[in-house]
Amino acid sequence: MTPYNTILLAVDFSADASLIAARARALAHASEATLHLVHVVETVPIDVAGEFLGSPQSDLHEEMMATARERLRTYTHSEQLGHAQQHVAAGYTKQAILEHAEAIGADLIVVGSHGRHGLALLLGSTANAVLHGAPCDVLAVRLNNP
Ligand code: AMP
């Protein structure tokens, strides 16, 4: 198998995030690949009337981003992901994961797959969306929690 060079792990801090981290860690180790982590702070900038507000600029948003960066630092440390590059993005999860994968030239994206919603029964919603838009290989790690 051709080794991967740049692996992107999408982290949502769920109970299963350790299992996904273990897979990504093992693959990065086996391929001697650079490991990148991305967490997306899902933002839907609309007001109470449902009007689009443009880029989220509020203090609350900044606070959420700072909290997410801190959680990602802690996760990287506790999951022994070594020198993985950490990135916190804001926006729609699927789109932000794909944009970051493209930005870093990822050749593998690792996501968890819960397989819980409708059409996405086999893959889970984010895994399904990422798989369909990805410019590279995608590993959907099967998770136990429904
Ligand atoms: P879900 O579609 O919510 O079942 O999530 C499946 C997988 O998508 C998770 O195990 C993560 O790998 C990834 N994912 C979900 N939400 C996020 C997020 N906010 N940031 C980064 N990755 C995410």
Side-chain angles (χ1 to χ4, degrees):
M1 185 183 88
T2 313
Y4 293 107
N5 291 313
T6 307
I7 298 176
L8 177 63
L9 167 60
V11 180
D12 65 356
F13 306 126
S14 66
D16 298 302
S18 270
L19 177 61
I20 309 168
R23 288 278 201 285
R25 190 172 57 231
L27 273 167
H29 182 72
S31 293
E32 296 183 15
T34 308
L35 184 59
H36 293 248
L37 311 183
V38 63
H39 172 73
V40 184
V41 175
E42 181 95 22
T43 48
V44 183
I46 53 171
D47 67 14
V48 286
E51 293 293 318
F52 183 67
L53 290 174
S55 307
Q57 298 287 352
S58 68
D59 291 348
L60 176 62
H61 175 72
E62 271 319 307
E63 204 177 306
M64 286 165 70
M65 295 294 283
T67 302
R69 285 188 200 102
E70 184 53 38
R71 286 188 79 182
L72 194 54
R73 260 194 297 279
T74 304
Y75 172 86
T76 305
H77 182 71
S78 62
E79 298 302 333
Q80 298 166 30
L81 295 171
H83 301 294
Q85 308 277 316
Q86 301 163 36
H87 181 70
V88 174
Y92 295 102
T93 300
K94 169 212 158 185
Q95 191 182 331
I97 292 171
L98 292 174
E99 280 175 5
H100 194 57
E102 204 149 327
I104 63 170
D107 46 15
L108 177 68
I109 302 172
V110 181
V111 290
S113 168
H114 291 97
R116 54 185 175 197
H117 317 287
L119 227 204
L121 264 178
L122 290 175
L123 272 177
S125 54
T126 306
N128 193 31
V130 167
L131 180 63
H132 284 95
C136 61
D137 289 2
V138 176
L139 172 64
V141 178
R142 183 78 192 163
L143 303 173
N144 297 323
N145 292 349

